[in-house]
Amino acid sequence: AMGLVLTVAAVLLRRTGQGPFLEQLALALCMAGVGAFLVGLAQLDQSTLTVAFAGAVASLALLAVYPDLILYFLATVGLCVSVGAFALEAVGGAGVDVWMLLCAAALSGTLLFEPLLRRGQLGPRVGPIAFALACAVPGWLLFRSFERSQEGFRYVFRFESGFVPSAYLSVLLALLLAWTGWRVLRELGLSREQRVWIPAVCALVLLTGMTLNTPGVLVAVLMLTLGFHRRSRVMLGLAVAFLLTFGAYYYYDLHITLLAKALALTGSGLVLLGVRQFFLRRQSAVLTEAR
């Protein structure tokens, strides 16, 4: 009850007060209130499904009524975690994987249609929601990769039903990346340029075949594509960080000798450099920044 009171008071303070001090005070009260509310439910011996459902409802409510960019980000992360916990308890690891795929599709759609969404009801929420999804989706895949690499770790989180096979995730993410790339080329007026999309498709097929056991690489490439398209330095930074991290997991996940790993990485690097040279020799298109 005290958590609900603090949350409501924080919303009223933020909507009526002005100034940096009141904004930060309201944000702190809101976070403390939501935390106290969820912890209180857990201490009342409520099931995990009930607590996760309450967390999702609270996140959606705050997204609707609390006018703060930081809280938009935190509420979106809270929604992703709450629904993921709900899916984990109800279905298992496979349910979280499906939710992650939906979040990846939401990330792509949010940035592809960002100019249109900013003029709609979402308005200033679009950016924080996109960055929150860009943290939640690869964050889950990173945890997934870590969990798969740790024997004896499974009993802590109880993934009885297991994960969706990594190869299936990689194929679905590759289809999402292909659709995203096609939308980007269409927006730039290059969708009919065979000299552009044929090498891109070949590179995507090659990358998918190489990283079937590490779907996080494809998510990082998706973020990299969207970051370049929308000129977002933050998205590019997140994409590069996750790409390096998943690249390390990809290297250590290969069940081959060190010499074969070195040859595989060298070959893939040469292929990517070849694709880059191919694009550089073609007439470069002037990219227009979305406003």
Side-chain angles (χ1 to χ4, degrees), residues 2 38 66 81 86-87 92 96 98 178 181 189 247 256 267:
M2 183 60 68
L38 296 179
Y66 196 99
V81 174
F86 191 93
V96 188
V98 174
I256 55 180

Side-chain angles (χ1 to χ4, degrees), residues 7-8 10-16 30 57-68 71-72 75 125:
T7 303
V8 173
V11 172
L12 294 176
L13 179 63
R14 182 62 179 85
R15 295 182 70 90
T16 57
C30 183
V57 172
S59 298
L60 287 174
L62 291 175
L63 272 173
V65 302
Y66 196 99
D68 187 88
L71 197 76
Y72 292 155
R125 297 175 178 84

